[in-house]
Amino acid sequence: MDYQNFAQHDRVIDAIANYYETPPLAYIHSFGCQQNVNDGEKIKGVLLALGYGLTDKAEGADLVVFNTCAVREHAEQRVYGNIGALKNLKLANPKMMIAVCGCMVQQKHVVDKVRQSYPYVDIVFGVNAIDTLPRLIGDRIRTRKRVLLDPVQRTELVEDLPIHRDSTFKAWLPIMYGCDNFCSYCIVPFVRGRERSRTAANILEEFRALVQSGYKEITLLGQNVNSYGKGLERPMDFSDLLAMLAEEPGDFRLRFMTSHPKDASRKLIDTIASHEKICNNLHLPVQSGSNHMLAEMNRKYNVSEYLSLIEYAKKKIPDMTFSSDIIVGFPGETEADFEQTMDLVQKVGYTQLFTFIYSKRSGTKAATLPDDTPYVVKTDRIARLLALHEQFAVGYAQSLIGKRFRVLVDGAGKRPGSFSGRLENNLVVDFTAPCDLTGQFAWVKVTGNKGILLLGELDSLA
Ligand code: 5AD
Ligand code: SF4
């Protein structure tokens, strides 16, 4: 690790304090997945330890950090747009620093583009390098030169970074980093590197600290949580880790993402079934309902294997809900392939569906495949898929009317004076209550719905 103890950064802390006339403010924006959001929370922790305050807008910030995502081209374009929009702020405040980090800048061509086209970007650092940030800021101030690091794959796990969490009651807890699967469309294994699992002891320590400080919902994170534990000195499988955490004392709820269908096991379903604190909700991205597409995507399972796990889960846990990611318009996807996806979505009945139009990522296997489906055909397929899904999800929401659920209260709701709570199955209820219960569990009676949004009233305190 670059710096064991952030209190030892006195030289950098002094350099920062001397550089600015008033205590500096930092604005951190994370794009993309929860893993990135959690990295953003660590960046905030590191910057607070260096004497920065936090602000929620770029205007007036002395340091802007864009923590980027590379999974689709659209996400990258948004980052370039956001960097471009900072040019005027930088002209007005030349001491303002701009840092770009995360998955996008793990790609050499992106770092080159930033170097050439965005001369006002001061610092670039990749994923797994948050611990180096103090040194990079120190170097930028001392040398007055830009500090743009070319991508390297760091494999060591950095534990004990300071962290400033966005919520006081919901926490992300990474259990592993990277991915070894090389799905043919996906850039993640290239930018986040090989799978590395944290030790169960480190995870347990962080978990206990979270429960003790009152966190009510803890979501275990990994690109493929079901391959947790491979390569550890004391191998442990994901279901055993999950059971170990669920058996900890305290009033909390446990979620996890993401599960790869090829590794999700019946044992995982049994573990969910036998632990009250593990939410009865499974995010199991299928990507396509066509065996031919699944093979082209290098997913290593077929539709009947996928459906048989879903059937097992439905039998074992009748109120289990499912969510999924689907890619529409993968190179070579025919109308018949797409109809098989529609068929699968109909059979499973997902309560949440995340749909994406295929985005070509250079360096991946799929980027070499001919893709001759017109874009309008792809957008039409997405629209049909969403319509089908919505029909199911709204019907599901209606089926909950009249029932009581324990929800975790998130904050203000959509109607004046109402609150928003999340059910175990991830559905959201907008409910009325005589007092603010944000951050606590409460029992809510569902009285109606507005599309997939449930409406309700407080039944009792949890
Ligand atoms: N194009 C479109 N969607 C993608 N995803 C990953 N890579 C791509 C890509 N190149 C989607 C997958 C994955 C989710 C996080 O993002 O559905 O599960
Ligand atoms: Fe990408 Fe596949 Fe790994 Fe998920 S499992 S991060 S889709 S390569």
Side-chain angles (χ1 to χ4, degrees):
M1 172 169 175
D2 214 55
Y3 290 95
Q4 288 290 345
N5 180 349
F6 280 79
Q8 286 171 7
H9 293 323
D10 290 352
R11 290 226 319 269
V12 178
I13 293 171
D14 286 349
I16 293 169
N18 293 334
Y19 188 66
Y20 295 104
E21 280 93 57
T22 51
L25 290 175
Y27 167 66
I28 294 92
H29 185 97
S30 292
F31 298 81
C33 67
Q34 284 75 14
Q35 196 85 251
N36 234 28
V37 170
N38 183 249
D39 282 348
E41 294 179 327
K42 289 177 185 159
I43 294 169
K44 288 177 195 171
V46 168
L47 291 174
L48 283 169
L50 291 177
Y52 284 88
L54 299 178
T55 166
D56 56 8
K57 53 185 188 308
E59 291 80 16
D62 301 288
L63 170 65
V64 172
V65 182
F66 287 138
N67 183 26
T68 63
C69 168
V71 94
R72 281 172 293 274
E73 193 187 348
H74 177 67
E76 295 201 341
Q77 293 310 336
R78 271 181 63 208
V79 170
Y80 286 127
N82 276 268
I83 302 175
L86 292 183
K87 193 173 175 184
N88 287 336
L89 287 181
K90 179 101 179 191
L91 284 173
N93 175 12
K95 282 198 170 175
M96 174 189 182
M97 281 188 211
I98 301 172
V100 182
C101 63
C103 292
M104 238 174 111
V105 290
Q106 283 297 134
Q107 304 167 94
K108 176 86 169 76
H109 67 93
V110 173
V111 180
D112 290 342
K113 179 165 171 171
V114 170
R115 191 173 281 124
Q116 276 149 29
S117 310
Y118 299 92
Y120 44 93
V121 169
D122 300 274
I123 294 173
V124 164
F125 62 101
V127 289
N128 313 320
I130 296 169
D131 56 310
T132 65
L133 185 54
R135 176 165 55 78
L136 305 182
I137 296 175
D139 286 354
R140 173 69 185 89
I141 293 174
R142 192 170 44 78
T143 65
R144 299 187 194 173
K145 292 203 180 109
R146 308 170 78 193
V147 187
L148 311 183
L149 301 188
D150 275 332
V152 282
Q153 285 294 354
R154 291 178 92 215
T155 51
E156 69 265 43
L157 288 185
V158 180
E159 294 287 346
D160 301 328
L161 277 175
I163 182 160
H164 177 78
R165 296 185 190 273
D166 295 337
S167 164
T168 51
F169 53 91
K170 292 200 296 194
W172 310 114
L173 201 176
I175 60 166
M176 59 186 299
Y177 300 93
C179 181
D180 284 354
N181 291 311
F182 290 95
C183 300
S184 64
Y185 50 81
C186 189
I187 196 74
V188 168
F190 300 92
V191 295
R192 285 203 172 255
R194 297 292 65 72
E195 275 175 18
R196 286 145 291 145
S197 294
R198 294 178 71 193
T199 64
N202 281 336
I203 295 169
L204 185 60
E205 189 185 314
E206 185 172 348
F207 188 87
R208 284 184 172 155
L210 287 169
V211 173
Q212 256 169 25
S213 20
Y215 279 87
K216 296 282 184 284
E217 181 176 292
I218 300 171
T219 304
L220 309 181
L221 294 180
Q223 302 297 339
N224 177 12
V225 288
N226 294 104
S227 59
Y228 171 78
K230 285 187 196 147
L232 281 177
E233 217 167 276
R234 285 195 214 160
M236 181 178 207
D237 80 11
F238 177 62
S239 302
D240 293 337
L241 178 81
L242 198 56
M244 177 185 86
L245 299 176
E247 279 154 26
E248 281 291 299
D251 190 17
F252 59 83
R253 212 183 224 190
L254 201 45
R255 298 186 187 276
F256 57 91
M257 63 195 309
T258 292
S259 284
H260 192 306
K262 82 174 163 59
D263 299 316
S265 59
R266 294 186 173 205
K267 180 176 170 189
L268 172 70
I269 308 294
D270 297 344
T271 306
I272 300 172
S274 55
H275 292 87
E276 191 67 16
K277 291 175 184 172
I278 307 175
C279 290
N280 289 345
N281 175 254
L282 187 60
H283 183 59
L284 200 60
V286 70
Q287 312 298 359
S288 171
S290 147
N291 284 335
H292 175 54
M293 286 295 102
L294 290 174
E296 290 286 299
M297 290 174 169
N298 192 29
R299 292 289 288 177
K300 302 191 180 93
Y301 55 84
N302 61 34
V303 171
S304 77
E305 286 160 350
Y306 182 90
L307 287 176
S308 101
L309 188 68
I310 297 270
E311 282 316 310
Y312 181 78
K314 282 182 176 174
K315 259 202 204 112
K316 190 99 198 189
I317 310 172
D319 69 346
M320 183 83 150
T321 53
F322 303 92
S323 59
S324 195
D325 297 345
I326 289 184
I327 296 179
V328 168
F330 184 82
E333 183 190 70
T334 62
E335 179 61 21
D337 290 317
F338 175 69
E339 272 163 19
Q340 288 168 11
T341 299
M342 293 280 277
D343 196 43
L344 179 137
V345 167
Q346 176 94 48
K347 280 190 182 127
V348 178
Y350 295 107
T351 48
Q352 276 184 308
L353 195 61
F354 303 91
T355 54
F356 309 101
I357 290 192
Y358 167 72
S359 173
K360 181 174 171 175
R361 306 283 64 212
S362 74
T364 62
K365 177 113 189 288
T368 60
L369 300 173
D371 180 11
D372 42 23
T373 310
Y375 196 72
V376 351
V377 172
K378 297 187 182 189
T379 52
D380 175 65
R381 287 181 188 162
I382 282 258
R384 285 155 63 200
L385 193 55
L386 285 176
L388 176 68
H389 162 248
E390 189 162 316
Q391 205 186 350
F392 173 83
V394 171
Y396 184 79
Q398 276 161 354
S399 75
L400 303 184
I401 295 174
K403 296 188 177 154
R404 284 166 85 242
F405 293 95
R406 193 167 189 244
V407 308
L408 179 58
V409 185
D410 259 330
K414 288 209 169 11
R415 296 170 294 171
S418 73
F419 296 92
S420 177
R422 201 169 276 271
L423 281 63
E424 191 179 328
N425 62 21
N426 248 335
L427 262 66
V428 175
V429 60
D430 192 288
F431 68 99
T432 52
C435 55
D436 186 349
L437 300 164
T438 302
Q440 297 175 50
F441 287 114
W443 283 93
V444 167
K445 184 167 180 206
V446 175
T447 54
N449 74 304
K450 207 174 171 187
I452 55 165
L453 178 71
L454 300 170
L455 304 173
E457 58 199 31
L458 181 69
D459 192 74
S460 60
L461 298 180

